[in-house]
Amino acid sequence: MRIPCPYCGERDAHEFAYLGDATLTRPDPAAEDAEARFHDYVYLRDNPAGAHVEWWYHANGCRQWLKVERDTRTHAIAAARAAREADTPAGDAA
Amino acid sequence: MHYSWLSILKNGLTGQKGWTPAWRDAAPKPAYDVIIVGGGGHGLATAYYLAKVHGIHNVAVIEKGYIGSGNAGRNTTIIRSNYLLPGNEPFYEWSMKLWEGLEQELNYNAMVSQRGVLNLFHSDAQRDAYARRGNAMRLAGVDSELLDRRQVRAMYPFLDFDNARFPVHGGLLQRRGGTARHDAVVWGYARAADRLGVDIIQNCEVTGFLREGDAIVGVETSRGPIRSAKVGLAVAGNSSRVAQKAGLRLPIESHVLQAFVSEGLKPLIDGVVTFGAGHFYISQSDKGGLVFGGDIDGYNSYAQRGNLPVVEDVAESGMALMPRIGRLRLLRMWGGIMDMSMDGSPIIDRTPVPGLYLNAGWCYGGFKATPASGWCFAHLLAKDEFHDVGGAYRLDRFRTGHLIDEKGVGAQPNLH
C-alpha cells in the first residue's frame, strides 16, 4: 500500500502511522448529554466495508497529518489531503 | 456414524466405501427456536452446546460461505489460558478444560496437542511483569512456571540467547497450552451439532433482519426469510456490518492479521514459543511447516490480505529470536479479518434490540476461546443469564467503565 502524500508524493505505508476514523467529531464537553456523546465518540465506530475516511500521520516523512480516503475492501486510496486543508470541524482534537 | 478403531478397520476392509458425509447439507426451514448467524468455530460450538447442554435442538447455523472458509481456517492454532485479568483468566481456563476433553466429547480427532506455550522475556522489568501474570494464573488455579535462562536453554538451545539488543532472560511456561488442528475443530463441532439435530445451512448470507415492532424475530437471507425469537450473531470480522443491519454501532474496528507457514521441515520446535520483545509467535505443524505470525497490520480492513511492512516486521522478529530460520522459504501467507474491540476483550451479551444477541470482538484471540465462547453464548441464549466465567464480557462495559484492557493501551483498537 502506498499513500500519496501531498508534500512528499507517493510513499510506502511503512512511513505512516494510523490513527483511525476521521469522520468523528469531538463533542462539546459542556453539552447536557456530553457523557453519552463522549461514549459514542471514544468507543463506537461505523467500521464500514468500503470507503473509509481516516487519519494517517507521515511520521517518517514530512510529519504532517493526512486525511486519507481508502477502500477497506481493496486498500485502494481515492484521495489524500493535508489535515489542515481538510474540512476539519472546529475544536476537533485530532 | 460413530468414529472408532472398529469403523476404521471395517472401512479399511471394504474399500473405504462406507464413510458418509460428516454433516447434512441442510436446507433452511421456515422457523427455528434459535438462529446462529455465522458458521465459524464460535457459532458451531454455540449450536452444539445449545443442543447438548440445554436440550435446544431446533437450531440453525447460517453460514455465508462454507464451513471452515473464514477465520476458523486462518488462525495459527494456538490454545492457552495465560491471561492476567480476573475477567479473562477464568473464561480462558474454562476453554482450556473444554479443549482437554474435546475430542472424546465430539468423537472427532481435533489433534489437541498440549505441547506447552512459552512466552520469553528479555529484560528484568519484563520478568517482573511475567512473574505477576504467572502468579495471577496460579491464583485462578491455572498452571504456570517461570523459567530462567538455563531452563529455557534446555528446551530450545537454538534461540539467540545473547542477542545484543534482546537477550533471552527466561520465559513463562504454560505446559497445558499448545495447539489444535483448526479445521478439525469446526468440522468436529459441525458434525457433533448436526448429530444432535442442528441444521447447518451453508452458502446462505444474512441480508437483513425480520422485525416486529422493536424486536427481531428472524433473519432475511439469500435463501429466503427464516423466523426465530432468538438470533445470535457470531460473525467476528464482520460484526459491525451485520449489526449495522439491525441499527447498531459497535465498539469494534475490523483489522487484518497476517499469518505465515514455511516449507516443511524435520521436527524443530516441539512447543509454541513467543518472542517478548516484538510480537512473534511460532510453532510447528504436524506436517512440518513452521506456523507463525505477528501484529495486525494496524488499519481498518476487510480485504483478507495484508501489506509488506508487517511481513518485514514479522520476519525481523523471527530472525531476532531464532536466526536459524533465516534461509527458510515461505510456503504460504494469508490474512484474516479480526474484530478489534476497544479494550482488546470480547463481547458476549444481549444487545439493546430485543431478540438479538451478540458474540463479537475476539481480536486475535478467538481460536483458543472457541469452546468456552460457545459454552457461554449458548448459556446466554438458552437461559437469558450470563455464565459465571463469561459474565464480564458485557457490551455496556464501555459505558459503565468496567473495561478489560489486558494490555493497558486504551481505546485504540490497532494497539491491542
Side-chain angles (χ1 to χ4, degrees):
Chain A
M1 193 160 72
R2 291 166 74 82
I3 296 174
C5 174
Y7 298 103
C8 311
E10 195 175 89
R11 304 295 299 172
D12 192 280
H14 209 179
E15 296 181 2
F16 296 80
Y18 180 77
L19 183 65
D21 192 335
T23 63
L24 302 165
T25 308
R26 188 180 176 85
D28 174 8
E32 288 273 319
D33 56 349
E35 191 175 332
R37 289 170 62 178
F38 265 96
H39 165 266
D40 295 359
Y41 169 70
V42 175
Y43 294 115
L44 301 189
R45 297 290 181 267
D46 287 336
N47 192 21
H52 190 235
V53 182
E54 54 203 20
W55 297 117
W56 288 83
Y57 175 57
H58 199 177
N60 294 311
C62 59
R63 296 168 68 191
Q64 300 296 310
W65 280 96
L66 306 182
K67 201 172 194 179
V68 176
E69 189 182 328
R70 190 178 57 95
D71 192 317
T72 59
R73 294 166 302 183
T74 62
H75 300 161
I77 293 170
R81 284 173 297 161
R84 67 177 61 178
E85 288 160 20
D87 47 346
T88 312
D92 195 307
Chain B
M1 178 194 289
H2 189 78
Y3 295 156
S4 65
W5 68 268
L6 199 64
S7 67
I8 292 172
L9 188 68
K10 191 176 149 211
N11 279 285
L13 294 172
T14 55
Q16 309 289 0
K17 294 202 174 102
W19 301 112
T20 53
W23 61 85
R24 295 166 295 130
D25 189 17
K29 290 193 284 188
Y32 291 90
D33 292 341
V34 179
I35 290 174
I36 309 293
V37 183
H42 292 227
L44 291 165
T46 304
Y48 171 74
Y49 292 120
L50 274 173
K52 181 71 191 288
V53 179
H54 303 284
I56 302 172
H57 299 268
N58 189 23
V59 176
V61 176
I62 301 175
E63 166 56 40
K64 179 178 71 172
Y66 59 90
I67 300 302
S69 61
N71 287 344
R74 290 170 189 266
N75 57 74
T76 45
T77 80
I78 296 165
I79 59 175
R80 59 185 173 88
S81 59
N82 53 0
Y83 281 73
L84 172 71
L85 299 177
N88 277 331
E89 184 58 10
F91 173 84
Y92 285 101
E93 176 56 14
W94 178 235
S95 206
M96 198 68 229
K97 289 202 167 77
L98 291 172
W99 282 116
E100 287 173 329
L102 190 75
E103 292 157 317
Q104 297 304 316
E105 166 94 26
L106 300 181
N107 179 232
Y108 202 89
N109 182 8
M111 294 165 66
V112 173
S113 166
Q114 293 180 287
R115 52 182 72 183
V117 173
L118 177 66
N119 300 149
L120 298 173
F121 53 78
H122 308 266
S123 67
D124 292 345
Q126 201 171 23
R127 178 194 287 119
D128 292 347
Y130 280 25
R132 179 180 177 226
R133 178 143 61 98
N135 289 337
M137 290 164 65
R138 288 182 164 232
L139 285 172
V142 182
D143 67 308
S144 73
E145 295 167 51
L146 197 68
L147 306 185
D148 62 20
R149 187 180 160 92
R150 187 181 48 82
Q151 290 167 298
V152 172
R153 199 189 281 276
M155 293 175 74
Y156 299 107
F158 52 81
L159 299 180
D160 191 3
F161 284 86
D162 299 312
N163 183 297
R165 180 68 183 84
F166 305 117
V168 176
H169 285 201
L172 182 66
L173 175 66
Q174 185 184 22
R175 288 192 195 276
R176 287 164 61 243
T179 59
R181 168 86 196 276
H182 51 195
D183 306 299
V185 173
V186 271
W187 296 336
Y189 270 119
R191 172 172 169 272
D194 176 84
R195 292 173 98 197
L196 293 171
V198 171
D199 277 0
I200 295 165
I201 303 160
Q202 302 176 79
N203 301 310
C204 180
E205 183 173 359
V206 168
T207 55
F209 292 96
L210 302 173
R211 306 192 80 136
E212 274 177 15
D214 286 343
I216 277 177
V217 294
V219 291
E220 292 278 5
T221 76
S222 54
R223 295 170 71 174
I226 310 173
R227 295 183 76 83
S228 172
K230 289 182 177 177
V231 176
L233 301 185
V235 292
N238 287 295
S239 297
S240 298
R241 291 176 61 202
V242 181
Q244 189 259 335
K245 297 180 199 297
L248 294 174
R249 281 177 92 213
L250 299 180
I252 286 171
E253 286 182 2
S254 295
H255 286 254
V256 60
L257 174 66
Q258 302 189 67
F260 309 82
V261 64
S262 76
E263 59 191 332
L265 299 174
K266 289 183 178 179
L268 174 66
I269 303 171
D270 61 2
V272 180
V273 181
T274 75
F275 182 46
H279 200 172
F280 179 80
Y281 35 92
I282 188 164
S283 64
Q284 188 166 19
S285 80
D286 291 6
K287 283 194 290 189
L290 299 185
V291 182
F292 55 95
D295 269 323
I296 55 174
D297 270 40
Y299 45 81
N300 289 47
S301 175
Y302 286 92
Q304 290 192 324
R305 59 187 162 76
N307 273 291
L308 292 172
V310 163
V311 178
E312 188 178 2
D313 187 57
V314 168
E316 283 172 353
S317 296
M319 286 300 290
L321 177 66
M322 37 193 300
R324 64 159 46 181
I325 62 173
R327 294 175 68 187
L328 264 185
R329 284 169 295 188
L330 281 181
L331 192 63
R332 287 191 302 277
M333 51 194 273
W334 62 93
I337 303 306
M338 311 289 115
D339 266 13
M340 297 306 296
S341 70
M342 285 290 171
D343 62 355
S345 293
I347 296 157
I348 303 175
D349 202 350
R350 307 179 191 95
T351 69
V353 182
L356 187 66
Y357 298 74
L358 182 65
N359 176 325
W362 290 97
C363 301
Y364 38 81
F367 177 69
K368 74 180 88 73
T370 303
S373 167
W375 186 281
C376 293
F377 200 36
H379 189 94
L380 178 67
L381 282 160
K383 302 189 170 198
D384 257 307
E385 293 168 3
F386 295 100
H387 191 274
D388 287 345
V389 301
Y393 298 145
R394 307 290 291 273
L395 179 57
D396 67 358
R397 68 177 183 267
F398 303 96
R399 199 179 294 279
T400 61
H402 295 88
L403 277 73
I404 312 167
D405 192 342
E406 190 85 19
K407 209 166 161 186
V409 294
Q412 188 64 36
N414 63 347
L415 299 183
H416 285 292

